[in-house]
Amino acid sequence: MAAKQSNEVSSAGSGNAFTTFRDYLTESRAEIKKVTWPTKKEAKVTSIAVLILVAVMSIFLGLVDLGWTKIVELILS
């Protein structure tokens, strides 16, 4: 297995920078074609869900912060 890895490393390092970059772009294009992109409706629903979650978490953390502030004020006064 170690010999296999050393062969892969040596073959991956061969070639000039332009060839390596071109191969990277070609492989990236192939991977992008495999992606299942969300529909407009799915993106909208997901975005709304994220915004609602952010609002709920902001309120929750604000209340927790307010509570801890009051507790610390009681302890220090």
Side-chain angles (χ1 to χ4, degrees):
M1 184 165 162
K4 182 187 264 187
Q5 287 178 347
S6 65
N7 289 340
E8 290 174 4
V9 170
S10 64
S11 67
S14 64
N16 62 17
F18 178 74
T19 304
T20 304
F21 184 67
R22 186 187 67 207
D23 292 343
Y24 168 76
L25 290 178
T26 303
E27 292 172 13
S28 295
R29 179 179 286 169
E31 289 299 319
I32 289 292
K33 288 180 181 179
K34 294 178 186 178
V35 173
T36 304
W37 297 100
T39 64
K40 190 173 184 177
K41 183 179 179 182
E42 289 172 336
K44 184 177 178 180
V45 169
T46 305
S47 298
I48 290 171
V50 168
L51 290 173
I52 290 171
L53 181 63
V54 167
V56 168
M57 289 304 298
S58 297
I59 292 168
F60 172 74
L61 291 174
L63 291 173
V64 168
D65 183 51
L66 183 65
W68 281 111
T69 301
K70 296 296 181 185
I71 291 171
V72 170
E73 285 177 355
L74 286 173
I75 291 171
L76 295 178
S77 60

